[in-house]
Amino acid sequence: MKKTILKICSAAAFIVGLGATNAFSADDLKFTVLTQTGIDNTFWQTIKRGMDDACEDYQVDCQMLFTSENGNLQMHLQNLETTIGQDVDGIATVIVDDNLYDEAIARAAEKGIPLITINVDDTEGADGNSRLAFIGQDLFQAGYEVAKGLLVGMDKSQPQHVLLGLARPGESWAEDRIGGARLYLDEAIADGWNLTHETIDSANDISVTGQRICQYILGNRKTTAVVGSAFWFAGAGECLRDMGVKPGEIHMGGFDLVPILLDEMKLGYVDLTIDQQPYLQGYLPIQQLYFINKFGLSAFDVNTGKALIRPEDVGSVEKYSAMGVR
Amino acid sequence: MHFKKMLQTKPEASAFLMLMAMTFVFSLLSPTFLTLGNFQIVLQPIPEIALVAIGVTILMISGEFDLSVGSVFALSPMVMVLLMAAGFPLPVSMIGGLVVAALVGLANAFITIRLGIPSFIATLGMLFMARSMTVVISDGFPPPFPRDLDLWWIVGKVDLLRVSVFWLLGIGILLGIWLRKFDFGSWIFATGGSQESARNMGINVNLVKTTTFMLCSMLAGFAGMIQVFRIKAIVPSMGTGYELTAIAATVIGGAALAGGVGSVIGAVIGALLLAFIENIIILTRVDANWFRFAVGAIIVIAVTINKMTRDVAARAKYKEVEDD
């Protein structure tokens, strides 16, 4: 009932809001993009580049708000509330907790500020709060696809043990991806695979994650595959080589395109990654917010990708990764 | 009694005993723990975090804190990699990165000493500024690290160890001798023990603190370079949270938060203990959701045991003096 009321308020306020924002020329439009990560997250710099390009293309005033450190949800919420208080013309933000942001998003709707979620959405999707649309990856599905893609290169007749690296326990984006991978592995077990899996807190630092994965593999020699919830797992390549692990002996897969991950793919230690095209997650919300304000068009969901990138694809994506757009 | 005296006079002694005890207990918990292969993996990042911890320890002995080391850990190698990408040779690029680290330390010292801002606050500000600079100078997209560089001299493998372990040993021994055998080392202890007394003794307290601030930053920067050489990649987020790990290692190693007490070997032992703790938690397959709780709990236990053993030794010494 509460959600229904919120949605009605959202729709009504949005219509009222449109009336108010129609008076602006495109040059006056102010959009804010918010995330719960720090400025040092390379992945989010690609989203920022997409945002910057869109803002230049559409001649709107944009600002991206990071938090002082990764995963500071309270600061992210505070930034969101401050932004709503500034009466901006549009907001794009991540929703990494199902309940934390509901009131703030409802307030944005009441004030007629169109709000689109990007990168990470409420796990209940559109039912979770009154946001207008989601632009990003279906995280659970993406995790499912990574596990599925890894098992393609493995032998069903042999015992397999998969390590699932949860980069930030408790944050929905990581839990969703690992949850999707776990589901596929459970389905594989039901399908007759002689397979076990285990989840560890793998951290979100290339060096620390690499160490934890290698230490785990050393203590659990039956490990045959690793699923990372982001790109940090690629840090394991160096210590796997130190351990004498040959390319292809342990299958690794995860997310995003960063130079170290592409390097490890070329060296044969990473089998696949999923590119969620972060540039689009920065560009498209600005485009949509612009059209909402200028023409009263509706926001719409965009799945920015679950494309598997394998070593044979590295050559074609590497130059775009270096440009900071993939 | 000699044993209790050693606990009292050597701040790292109880940490060493704890390291031995934990090594024994951990070896019972996991048969993999004491294997050479495991030590090879565990020791890889030790030079990096131990060098940071040594810098923080020496600074803490002089009575100050540095929370910006994690950010300098990223900023300094980022400068180095950007200089390399601009065509400068590796030695020049490394010097460039270390100079930037030294300047950060100098700025910390200036804000703390000249402006009278507590170092806890001054370096907290620098933590954010240095991290921001790391992103700004690379425009968010650091260049790829050249994999074809010959880096044997710093991170190459010597049997099971990395050469970086020997760098740690060398730097640790030199700084240990500097602290214990040279006048300047005594001045550092005196400044941290009682700044006013040190000043009355004619010690240039400001020079001592500025030196330790700069040394701390440079060690953090050099440690960051070692990590970049080892993993052959640079990301702007590297070193995040290292300030807390370094302080934990320092305190576990016997350094006093109030200053005047600490040792280089204690910092290394503290870093080793933290690495062992994390290692055993992974080897014993602690559930992901309990991982950080387990790390935190063992750190608290380690520091508590450390303090208790020192208190016991102190009481014994007090009783000995009373009996005399």
Side-chain angles (χ1 to χ4, degrees):
Chain A
M1 185 64 186
K2 190 180 170 188
K3 283 175 188 166
T4 311
I5 293 170
L6 281 175
K7 280 183 182 298
I8 293 168
C9 287
S10 161
F14 184 52
I15 291 164
V16 172
L18 276 182
T21 53
N22 277 344
F24 291 111
S25 71
D27 291 344
D28 297 317
L29 292 176
K30 288 184 170 57
F31 300 148
T32 303
V33 180
L34 301 103
T35 173
Q36 92 292 8
T37 71
I39 55 169
D40 49 9
N41 188 319
T42 309
F43 173 84
W44 269 90
Q45 289 294 335
T46 306
I47 293 183
K48 184 174 182 297
R49 181 155 291 184
M51 180 199 80
D52 288 340
D53 285 355
C55 295
E56 194 177 329
D57 288 350
Y58 292 97
Q59 290 295 299
V60 291
D61 179 7
C62 297
Q63 181 184 28
M64 179 171 274
L65 295 178
F66 292 93
T67 53
S68 53
E69 69 271 358
N70 288 310
N72 189 336
L73 305 194
Q74 174 52 42
M75 181 177 282
H76 174 221
L77 176 63
Q78 195 176 328
N79 288 343
L80 178 60
E81 287 175 336
T82 305
T83 302
I84 293 166
Q86 287 175 322
D87 291 329
V88 294
D89 302 297
I91 294 172
T93 184
V94 295
I95 299 297
V96 289
D97 184 281
D98 283 357
N99 304 310
L100 184 64
Y101 308 94
D102 287 358
E103 282 184 23
I105 294 173
R107 197 156 48 250
E110 284 163 14
K111 295 185 79 170
I113 301 172
L115 187 146
I116 294 171
T117 51
I118 59 169
N119 187 243
V120 186
D121 195 17
D122 191 302
T123 57
E124 296 174 45
D127 295 332
N129 55 57
S130 40
R131 56 72 167 170
L132 299 176
F134 171 61
I135 297 172
Q137 185 179 59
D138 182 333
L139 299 162
F140 193 88
Q141 182 66 26
Y144 187 92
E145 296 296 334
V146 166
K148 188 178 174 183
L150 272 185
L151 259 58
V152 166
M154 295 163 70
D155 187 350
K156 187 176 178 179
S157 65
Q158 295 297 315
Q160 308 286 356
H161 179 70
V162 182
L163 169 63
L164 300 166
L166 187 57
R168 291 193 69 88
E171 284 196 20
S172 57
W173 63 270
E175 299 279 3
D176 260 8
R177 282 173 170 171
I178 293 302
R182 202 179 286 128
L183 175 66
Y184 182 79
L185 296 177
D186 288 339
E187 287 178 4
I189 293 167
D191 189 39
W193 280 75
N194 180 6
L195 188 149
T196 52
H197 58 81
E198 187 171 24
T199 306
I200 64 164
D201 176 349
S202 57
N204 58 338
D205 173 270
I206 282 187
S207 175
V208 176
T209 303
Q211 288 297 311
R212 288 187 184 175
I213 289 173
C214 288
Q215 288 173 25
Y216 180 91
I217 290 171
L218 201 69
N220 303 273
R221 285 290 192 179
K222 60 179 183 174
T223 307
T224 48
V226 176
V227 175
S229 49
F231 64 84
W232 296 291
F233 73 97
E238 195 63 28
C239 54
L240 286 178
R241 283 188 283 281
D242 284 349
M243 288 164 61
V245 175
K246 300 278 182 290
E249 281 183 13
I250 291 180
H251 302 270
M252 295 206 294
F255 298 85
D256 306 333
L257 294 177
V258 294
I260 185 173
L261 198 152
L262 296 176
D263 279 346
E264 292 299 342
M265 261 191 174
K266 286 190 277 190
L267 293 168
Y269 286 86
V270 173
D271 292 31
L272 58 92
T273 183
I274 285 198
D275 177 20
Q276 57 171 314
Q277 304 190 101
Y279 182 85
L280 290 178
Q281 295 175 18
Y283 194 96
L284 294 180
I286 300 301
Q287 186 187 49
Q288 289 200 19
L289 290 171
Y290 174 81
F291 287 137
I292 288 169
N293 278 274
K294 194 166 170 70
F295 306 124
L297 298 178
S298 303
F300 53 93
D301 291 342
V302 180
N303 185 347
T304 57
K306 56 175 185 176
L308 288 180
I309 306 290
R310 292 187 180 275
E312 57 269 27
D313 307 314
V314 171
S316 60
V317 298
E318 205 168 25
K319 64 176 178 180
Y320 299 116
S321 173
M323 287 166 62
V325 295
R326 287 196 76 173
Chain B
M1 195 53 67
H2 180 73
F3 175 69
K4 286 181 177 173
K5 191 177 176 186
M6 185 191 74
L7 284 178
Q8 171 66 16
T9 55
K10 303 277 184 195
E12 67 277 9
S14 54
F16 179 73
L17 290 176
M18 203 156 47
L19 181 72
M20 293 294 104
M22 284 200 174
T23 303
F24 176 70
V25 173
F26 290 173
S27 66
L28 297 178
L29 291 174
S30 168
T32 311
F33 182 73
L34 272 186
T35 60
L36 288 175
N38 188 46
F39 273 92
Q40 179 193 18
I41 301 298
V42 174
L43 288 177
Q44 277 189 352
I46 287 295
E48 297 145 27
I49 192 63
L51 283 171
V52 179
I54 289 172
V56 170
T57 297
I58 294 174
L59 182 62
M60 206 181 276
I61 293 171
S62 77
E64 300 294 348
F65 273 106
D66 189 350
L67 294 178
S68 68
V69 286
S71 299
V72 176
F73 189 91
L75 175 62
S76 187
M78 184 65 80
V79 170
M80 176 190 74
V81 170
L82 289 172
L83 287 174
M84 284 163 64
F88 289 94
L90 179 63
V92 176
S93 304
M94 284 185 73
I95 290 169
L98 290 174
V99 167
V100 168
L103 289 173
V104 171
L106 187 63
N108 284 334
F110 179 81
I111 298 167
T112 303
I113 298 166
R114 298 290 175 194
L115 303 183
I117 308 294
S119 56
F120 189 85
I121 304 298
T123 57
L124 180 64
M126 190 57 76
L127 177 154
F128 294 117
M129 288 191 282
R131 182 67 66 183
S132 187
M133 284 302 297
T134 307
V135 179
V136 169
I137 60 174
S138 62
D139 198 22
F141 300 97
F145 186 81
R147 281 189 167 266
D148 52 350
L149 276 180
D150 179 14
L151 297 169
W152 189 91
W153 57 278
I154 190 158
V155 290
K157 276 176 275 184
V158 182
D159 202 10
L160 286 174
L161 298 175
R162 292 258 183 182
V163 175
S164 53
V165 171
F166 299 103
W167 277 88
L168 168 65
L169 286 175
I171 292 172
I173 289 169
L174 284 176
L175 289 175
I177 292 170
W178 183 60
L179 268 184
R180 296 288 174 185
K181 303 291 180 192
F182 282 73
D183 286 348
F184 202 92
S186 306
W187 298 350
I188 293 173
F189 280 99
T191 301
S194 169
Q195 190 169 311
E196 211 43 54
S197 305
R199 196 167 272 130
N200 290 338
M201 288 162 63
I203 294 171
N204 187 339
V205 170
N206 291 352
L207 175 68
V208 168
K209 291 196 173 188
T210 303
T211 305
T212 52
F213 267 117
M214 291 175 72
L215 177 70
C216 181
S217 280
M218 288 174 73
L219 283 173
F222 184 60
M225 288 175 184
I226 291 177
Q227 182 164 105
V228 168
F229 292 149
R230 179 171 64 83
I231 63 176
K232 295 181 178 59
I234 182 157
V235 288
S237 61
M238 62 184 285
T240 303
Y242 274 33
E243 57 282 345
L244 296 181
T245 309
I247 289 173
T250 299
V251 173
I252 289 172
L257 290 170
V261 178
S263 70
V264 169
I265 184 71
V268 177
I269 291 173
L272 271 173
L273 254 176
L274 286 175
F276 284 3
I277 288 167
E278 186 166 309
N279 181 238
I280 197 62
I281 288 170
I282 293 168
L283 293 179
T284 51
R285 307 169 78 163
V286 169
D287 181 83
N289 293 337
W290 282 98
F291 190 92
R292 291 175 201 202
F293 180 90
V295 171
I298 295 179
I299 288 173
V300 170
I301 291 168
V303 176
T304 305
I305 293 173
N306 193 335
K307 184 179 182 306
M308 284 168 66
T309 51
R310 280 165 56 188
D311 285 350
V312 167
R315 275 198 298 274
K317 188 181 181 189
Y318 180 71
K319 192 169 181 297
E320 191 181 343
V321 171
E322 267 197 333
D323 290 346
D324 289 344

